[in-house]
Amino acid sequence: MASSSRIRIRSEEWDRRLHEVQVTKHDLNRLIMDYLVIEGYKSAAEEFCVEANLSPPVDFDSIESRMDIRDALQRGDVEGAITAVNDLNPEILDTNPALYFHLQQQKLIEHIRHGRIAEALQFAQEELAPRGEESPEFLSELERTMALLAFDSSPSVPSGIAELLSPAQRMKTAGEVNAAILESLSQGKEVKLVQLLKLMSWGETMLEERAEFPRVEK
Amino acid sequence: MSVRQSRSASIPIPRTSSSTSPTRNIESVISIPFAPPPPRPRLASAQVIPIAHHHSDDPRASVRGARFGASSVSPTRPSAHSPRTTDPACLSTSSSSSPTLPRARRPSATGPRTPSSNRAVSGLFPPAPAPRTSFTRPAYLEHSALRHLLQTESLPTIAPSRKQGQQRSLSPATDSDDEGSPPPRRATPVPDSSSQMLKLPTRMSESCRHELLSISPDGRDVTYQETLRLFRTAYPIPPACGIYYYEVDILSKGNKGHISIGFAGKDVRLSRLPGWEQNSWGYHGDDGCSFAAEKNGTPFGPTFGTGDTIGCGIDFSTHQAFFTKNGNLIGSVFKDIGKSIDLYPSIGLRHSGEAVRVNFGQEAFRFDIEYHVHQQRLQAWSNIQTTPISSSLVSEDMRPKAKAVEVTEERTKSAINKLVLAYLAHHGYARTARTFQKQLGRPSTDNLLGLDGDMELRTQIVNSVAAGDIDTALAETKKHYPEVLQANEGLMLFKLRCRKFIELLLDATELHKKLKAEEEQIATDDEDEMLMDPPVPTKSHLGTTSKAQAEALNKAIIYGQALLHDYKADKRPEVQTLFNRSVGIVAWHDPIEHGGVAAEVAGPEARVDLANELNQAILRSQGRPAHPTLETIYRHTAVCIQQLGVSGVGAAAFADMQKEFIDA
């Protein structure tokens, strides 16, 4: 079985095997649908249901509210997002203290971003500080966020702190919320196409050590 | 190793009393006549063997007794055999010539938790009359993505099926299927993987034993005559199992219980217990130590003795072994086991009075191996999923040696969006593609994908073919993609024209059916004039239909003649074959109803296939791939995983694309 020398698989042989792989267009359509739903492309998902004659995997309205929440977070409207999540299912935040903390942290970041220093301080003291005592992770996140105040808008802000103000931080929080909602709908939260690409990367890397084989032409 | 047929039980094996016990078909027994052991210092010798005699107060012992009858344990009696030999002899000659002995056929383990009472009951059955060599693959191996390659020894090659009872339609590499739900497709040939079939160890090898050991006809009862012998299976364990597991019942531990259970490489010296030699690993019953090519073991688990069931497994995704005792996991042990050599389940016995019986899955395991494998599979899968997506996949620059880019989430997303868009465009899901593109906020510069009306045009043409409207398809193709019709000396044009001929014939068939129906209706009406309520066809109506039918048939025949005229000079075999097959349809009143080849040529599936062929031809004429990249990626990944599996990468067995991407 295990041999140290690399074997060479000719492309005709490889092509023959590609041909033998069992996958139908319907299977692939479902992978596409999975992507459209999880990533929240509601209209495209609806069209695809019709064109590809697939049964809707979820209530499309749930996609919409999920996307509204994501958009609210990406706009910086944390309060709106929290309300919407609670409208959707109050248990999501109740049962997920870390997620709730990260939303509060995001709210603090938005206060600081807009220079509402007094609100920021009050909010931190009233809402976040008590929670910071709950866990070391919360506390260090709180400290990191409060450091934003110290540096104000000076250009010498360490990147680890400045990144809190970047759009990526908003995306991160939004992604966390998205995953939590999907989980509450008992739906996969990991996009299958992403998993497929990861598997391919793994497979090619592993096989490289053992064989020479043709690559995918793009 | 060749597939061997089961053979008669005529191999002269010394029978022991245990092998004549009624249960010999079900379990393997190794019994070793007594030979006083040499004193052997062990690190963990402090561990006292709890059971001094094989009939102890262990509750299982009585079960055993019931199962095997008094005779089965008799070989444990001290024998007159010479006690002098102290150095163990091991069995390991080449396995290639080992004859497969017939063995009782047992349905495989039905579940890991079958109460042992079942087993006791089964032991009461009389010996199965005609032992067979194969049994169903144990259920826990269904967790391997490569399960279709795994077979129990001597079984004729089984066609890999995706799932029992689930006849999956296969998609050939054409991007087939018409719109929507999975279409019934003719079965493409089952992957010719016979060359890759992997045999599972299922019995102890007749040739890999010392002459003083005897093996029962079913390959599972081994009897020891003189002194220590190691024995192993004929076949190594395919790493494609992911996890392989077998259990050993200790029928009798003799005086010392110097029994070692584990694995060994092919060429390990057979005179030693597994674990003492290089390339062998074992868990020893007398001291509970684990041995990996060492003289002094490492404390590992409890000791074991008469009445115990020891399970021994190997996880090829972590290259670690694990052991169980009486259905409970002891733990994992050994490192890098089986990384560079083939492994054989191996057992060593050292003293007379020792007797074991092996279960390779012929019957239920005591340990819940299925659950264990399931857990390990999830773990292995999540490990695989920590792999970062390779930068070449997400690079905008698609040249093979593109500079590595940082794989950010955004880049990944953009790469996937591109794949999705290309897929939608390829199959002509025009509205979805357009909507998706709008949602992405991408400028519609994707002429690359043909989202600029080209896709619609192509989709329309393809849909016309699928609907049987060949004239439109021909006209539009001629207008927009003339090179498609001319390619291959007009092969596509010929194919479309053949289809046109078939469509004309089908029209005539339909009219013929209508005519028949009307005739019957009128006949009924004549008999019963009272029932004139609904408007029924009159005789003149009948005349019209009849005329139309004759015209339709005539039209088809004229078209066929023209076809013959145009192509009789074309001696290409594919042209001649297709022409003959198409014309052959005339022979049937209703070719689709008739079934068989006629239906295959005339049926709606043939239309869909032709439509897909045309789609690919048009795409190719535009320099686009004939298959969507997404499909190619899927297939490519599947082939990589399968190749990894047969190359000995155990984790590949737990990368089950069917389960992860299709069934889920």
Side-chain angles (χ1 to χ4, degrees):
Chain A
M1 294 282 133
S3 88
S4 47
S5 61
R6 285 171 94 214
I7 55 164
R8 190 164 161 267
I9 305 169
R10 286 177 310 133
S11 65
E12 304 87 72
E13 167 66 10
W14 194 261
D15 286 347
R16 188 184 63 76
R17 295 193 201 170
L18 286 181
H19 185 83
E20 285 172 357
V21 171
Q22 303 177 36
V23 62
T24 64
K25 183 174 166 189
H26 179 70
D27 296 334
L28 295 169
N29 282 350
R30 285 180 54 224
L31 287 183
I32 298 279
M33 184 56 104
D34 171 80
Y35 179 73
L36 296 179
V37 167
I38 292 184
E39 289 298 318
Y41 298 109
K42 185 196 171 206
S43 336
E46 278 173 326
E47 290 285 5
F48 196 51
C49 262
V50 177
E51 282 194 304
N53 191 20
L54 292 166
S55 52
V58 286
D59 174 12
F60 283 122
D61 289 341
S62 76
I63 301 182
E64 189 140 55
S65 36
R66 202 156 42 83
M67 289 311 110
D68 287 348
I69 291 164
R70 190 179 67 176
D71 292 347
L73 283 171
Q74 288 185 347
R75 276 198 313 273
D77 178 8
V78 182
E79 200 49 54
I82 292 176
T83 312
V85 171
N86 281 330
D87 285 351
L88 199 66
N89 181 355
E91 276 190 15
I92 294 173
L93 293 181
D94 280 355
T95 56
N96 202 336
L99 179 64
Y100 187 61
F101 179 83
H102 290 149
L103 279 167
Q104 300 282 60
Q105 180 191 14
Q106 189 66 45
K107 195 170 165 183
L108 178 61
I109 293 169
E110 301 301 339
H111 277 318
I112 294 170
R113 187 196 312 275
H114 293 100
R116 299 189 291 256
I117 306 302
E119 281 113 314
L121 282 175
Q122 196 193 354
F123 181 72
Q125 285 161 6
E126 285 175 9
E127 299 286 336
L128 285 170
R131 319 208 67 217
E133 287 166 3
E134 289 171 18
S135 93
E137 189 242 336
F138 292 175
L139 188 62
S140 81
E141 276 301 303
L142 177 59
E143 285 166 359
R144 193 161 74 103
T145 315
M146 294 310 282
L148 281 173
L149 285 172
F151 287 101
D152 205 4
S153 50
S154 101
S156 60
V157 189
S159 63
I161 290 166
E163 71 186 13
L164 289 172
L165 290 173
S166 72
Q169 172 68 23
R170 282 177 170 177
M171 268 179 78
K172 192 178 147 209
T173 310
E176 237 179 284
V177 174
N178 194 31
I181 298 174
L182 285 167
E183 201 160 37
S184 78
L185 297 170
S186 52
Q187 226 199 315
K189 50 182 176 173
E190 195 60 92
V191 177
K192 292 209 177 82
L193 285 180
V194 173
Q195 294 182 320
L196 175 61
L197 295 185
K198 286 180 175 172
L199 180 60
M200 172 162 157
S201 304
W202 178 81
E204 284 201 328
T205 312
M206 295 293 284
L207 194 53
E208 225 157 51
E209 297 166 14
R210 293 162 179 84
E212 265 178 68
F213 58 99
R215 299 312 168 93
V216 177
E217 283 172 44
K218 292 187 199 147
Chain B
M1 281 159 240
S2 59
V3 178
R4 285 165 289 122
Q5 294 306 311
S6 60
R7 300 186 32 194
S8 71
S10 59
I11 291 163
I13 297 161
R15 284 229 164 167
T16 64
S17 49
S18 72
S19 71
T20 58
S21 84
T23 53
R24 68 182 173 83
N25 297 312
I26 296 151
E27 296 182 274
S28 298
V29 177
I30 302 169
S31 37
I32 300 192
F34 203 97
R40 178 170 194 82
R42 292 279 171 82
L43 265 188
S45 57
Q47 279 185 275
V48 179
I49 300 156
I51 304 163
H53 300 288
H54 57 270
H55 278 303
S56 68
D57 51 359
D58 184 321
R60 280 182 61 82
S62 59
V63 174
R64 300 286 156 161
R67 287 161 67 202
F68 306 119
S71 64
S72 69
V73 277
S74 62
T76 64
R77 299 275 164 246
S79 74
H81 283 123
S82 67
R84 55 213 169 312
T85 318
T86 54
D87 205 26
C90 287
L91 313 167
S92 180
T93 57
S94 157
S95 63
S96 56
S97 62
S98 79
T100 300
L101 295 177
R103 143 172 20 105
R105 182 185 175 81
R106 286 274 308 174
S108 81
T110 47
R113 282 269 151 97
T114 312
S116 60
S117 62
N118 269 6
R119 311 169 70 206
V121 168
S122 69
L124 299 174
F125 289 136
R132 301 252 298 270
T133 40
S134 59
F135 60 100
T136 319
R137 195 166 57 219
Y140 75 91
L141 288 173
E142 295 302 312
H143 286 289
S144 166
L146 295 120
R147 53 193 168 273
H148 57 283
L149 298 181
L150 303 172
Q151 59 172 237
T152 51
E153 220 177 303
S154 301
L155 205 62
T157 304
I158 15 153
S161 65
R162 280 164 86 135
K163 256 192 163 180
Q164 60 279 61
Q166 185 189 359
Q167 186 64 34
R168 287 287 313 212
S169 55
L170 311 185
S171 157
T174 61
D175 52 341
S176 48
D177 311 33
D178 66 342
E179 298 303 296
S181 54
R185 297 200 54 81
R186 56 172 186 273
T188 46
V190 156
D192 171 29
S193 326
S194 47
S195 56
Q196 294 187 318
M197 275 298 168
L198 303 169
K199 293 198 180 67
L200 293 164
T202 54
R203 51 166 293 120
M204 287 302 168
S205 166
E206 172 61 17
S207 66
C208 301
R209 66 171 178 95
H210 188 272
E211 62 208 14
L212 292 175
L213 275 182
S214 72
I215 297 176
S216 71
D218 69 0
R220 297 172 59 203
D221 293 359
V222 182
T223 306
Y224 172 84
Q225 300 289 334
E226 191 151 339
T227 184
L228 185 141
R229 302 288 181 258
L230 175 147
F231 61 98
R232 65 160 171 86
T233 53
Y235 292 112
I237 306 165
C241 289
I243 286 177
Y244 182 83
Y245 181 75
Y246 71 100
E247 283 185 351
V248 180
D249 291 339
I250 312 302
L251 298 182
S252 168
K253 73 181 190 70
N255 272 358
K256 302 274 185 179
H258 275 178
I259 297 172
S260 172
I261 295 171
F263 303 99
K266 185 174 183 174
D267 297 321
V268 165
R269 264 172 62 200
L270 298 175
S271 54
R272 315 278 288 157
L273 285 180
W276 287 351
E277 282 287 286
Q278 195 66 34
N279 288 335
S280 73
W281 297 263
Y283 167 34
H284 289 202
D286 58 330
D287 55 10
C289 283
S290 66
F291 288 73
E294 56 194 317
K295 266 290 178 195
N296 300 307
T298 311
F300 167 62
T303 58
F304 55 83
T306 308
D308 286 327
T309 299
I310 300 302
C312 176
I314 163 112
D315 184 340
F316 287 100
S317 70
T318 58
H319 289 283
Q320 282 200 304
F322 60 94
F323 289 91
T324 68
K325 182 181 175 186
N326 298 331
N328 300 311
L329 185 66
I330 300 171
S332 292
V333 65
F334 308 136
K335 262 201 205 127
D336 295 340
I337 172 171
K339 253 195 173 156
S340 50
I341 56 160
D342 287 344
L343 286 184
Y344 296 77
S346 302
I347 295 170
L349 303 177
R350 202 161 161 234
H351 303 296
S352 67
E354 294 167 349
V356 303
R357 191 169 181 94
V358 190
N359 176 14
F360 294 107
Q362 285 95 336
E363 60 191 279
F365 290 119
R366 285 194 75 183
F367 176 61
D368 191 346
I369 182 66
E370 253 193 288
Y371 178 76
H372 181 80
V373 174
H374 179 71
Q375 293 303 306
Q376 296 309 115
R377 182 174 82 78
L378 294 181
Q379 185 55 48
W381 176 250
S382 66
N383 288 346
I384 288 172
Q385 285 297 314
T386 60
T387 315
I389 292 176
S390 105
S391 60
S392 65
L393 270 171
V394 299
S395 162
E396 286 291 317
D397 187 348
M398 292 302 193
R399 277 168 307 174
K401 291 281 175 199
K403 212 175 142 228
V405 287
E406 201 199 335
V407 184
T408 61
E409 204 166 308
E410 219 153 319
R411 273 183 196 280
T412 308
K413 242 180 131 168
S414 141
I416 293 179
N417 287 338
K418 223 169 165 177
L419 279 176
V420 170
L421 212 47
Y423 180 87
L424 295 171
H426 181 100
H427 286 300
Y429 296 125
R431 298 224 312 271
T432 310
R434 215 171 292 290
T435 312
F436 183 55
Q437 198 179 31
K438 212 184 291 164
Q439 284 186 296
L440 290 179
R442 259 177 117 112
S444 52
T445 49
D446 282 286
N447 294 358
L448 263 176
L449 300 171
L451 286 175
D452 49 348
D454 191 65
M455 173 178 61
E456 263 100 344
L457 203 56
R458 175 165 51 83
T459 309
Q460 262 172 24
I461 292 174
V462 169
N463 288 345
S464 318
V465 177
D469 182 359
I470 308 296
D471 283 344
T472 306
L474 267 174
E476 290 295 304
T477 311
K478 200 172 207 163
K479 191 164 147 201
H480 301 284
Y481 312 105
E483 65 281 6
V484 169
L485 297 178
Q486 286 149 19
N488 281 329
E489 296 171 51
L491 196 58
M492 197 32 117
L493 176 63
F494 172 68
K495 284 180 177 174
L496 286 164
R497 289 189 64 188
C498 281
R499 185 69 216 181
K500 167 73 182 164
F501 170 68
I502 291 168
E503 296 295 343
L504 287 172
L505 271 178
L506 292 179
D507 287 348
T509 305
E510 279 310 303
L511 284 166
H512 181 75
K513 279 203 273 197
K514 193 175 162 202
L515 187 66
K516 282 271 188 243
E518 284 174 3
E519 274 171 3
E520 270 172 36
Q521 177 102 40
I522 285 169
T524 338
D525 292 342
D526 284 346
E527 282 166 23
D528 189 356
E529 303 249 348
M530 306 302 288
L531 291 174
M532 289 290 282
D533 247 7
V536 294
T538 60
K539 291 230 165 80
S540 73
H541 199 122
L542 197 65
T544 327
T545 310
S546 160
K547 207 169 144 202
Q549 196 259 338
E551 271 170 19
L553 193 59
N554 201 32
K555 203 169 153 196
I557 287 167
I558 290 171
Y559 194 88
Q561 283 165 349
L563 207 54
L564 177 64
H565 177 261
D566 292 350
Y567 288 94
K568 70 178 171 219
D570 194 334
K571 292 297 176 206
R572 280 182 290 176
E574 51 189 321
V575 168
Q576 291 305 314
T577 310
L578 182 57
F579 182 78
N580 291 339
R581 290 183 87 188
S582 306
V583 171
I585 299 303
V586 181
W588 314 108
H589 272 305
D590 188 342
I592 295 176
E593 183 101 316
H594 178 79
V597 181
E600 212 172 275
V601 174
E605 292 215 355
R607 259 186 204 162
V608 172
D609 286 349
L610 184 62
N612 282 316
E613 216 179 317
L614 184 57
N615 190 32
Q616 289 183 11
I618 295 174
L619 286 166
R620 215 176 284 125
S621 78
Q622 297 170 317
R624 292 189 195 140
H627 309 291
T629 309
L630 178 63
E631 180 175 343
T632 309
I633 284 181
Y634 188 96
R635 291 178 183 277
H636 179 81
T637 306
V639 175
C640 280
I641 299 301
Q642 171 135 343
Q643 181 61 38
L644 283 175
V646 297
S647 318
V649 177
F654 296 137
D656 195 330
M657 296 177 70
Q658 170 76 23
K659 278 195 185 113
E660 302 294 344
F661 301 130
I662 296 180
D663 294 344

